[in-house]
Amino acid sequence: MSDSKQKTHQEVSSEFTSYYLQRATKEFAEDLDKVRTADDFKNDAIHLLVNALQQGTALFSPDEQRRIVETAAEGK
């Protein structure tokens, strides 16, 4: 039995969110740099941008999140 089976839903959700944000920012790095360096981008928009990226985690069920967290842990 892997360690993630022992984790609570909240722990898995937190780890998944972290993993998801790392992957999303890596995938969209070029686009995010363009947004960040745009003339009309303000620092207070960073919170909004992070929240928008986090919304993507809602597309994954708790079981899918657990499976992804387990797979990511196996790859380490």
Side-chain angles (χ1 to χ4, degrees):
M1 185 178 293
S2 70
D3 288 342
S4 59
K5 289 287 186 196
Q6 303 299 324
K7 294 179 182 173
T8 66
H9 169 70
Q10 184 60 40
E11 290 169 327
V12 170
S13 180
S14 178
E15 286 185 33
F16 177 77
T17 298
S18 177
Y19 175 80
Y20 181 86
L21 288 176
Q22 288 173 1
R23 295 296 302 225
T25 55
K26 184 176 180 181
E27 280 295 315
F28 299 119
E30 198 172 301
D31 295 324
L32 291 170
D33 278 341
K34 287 178 185 175
V35 168
R36 188 180 52 79
T37 59
D39 291 338
D40 61 348
F41 186 79
K42 305 216 181 333
N43 284 338
D44 58 346
I46 292 173
H47 182 69
L48 180 63
L49 184 57
V50 170
N51 282 339
L53 289 172
Q54 284 177 328
Q55 297 279 327
T57 64
L59 298 172
F60 298 85
S61 72
D63 288 338
E64 290 171 320
Q65 290 183 16
R66 185 173 293 277
R67 189 175 68 244
I68 291 167
V69 167
E70 288 173 356
T71 303
E74 289 172 3
K76 289 183 178 178

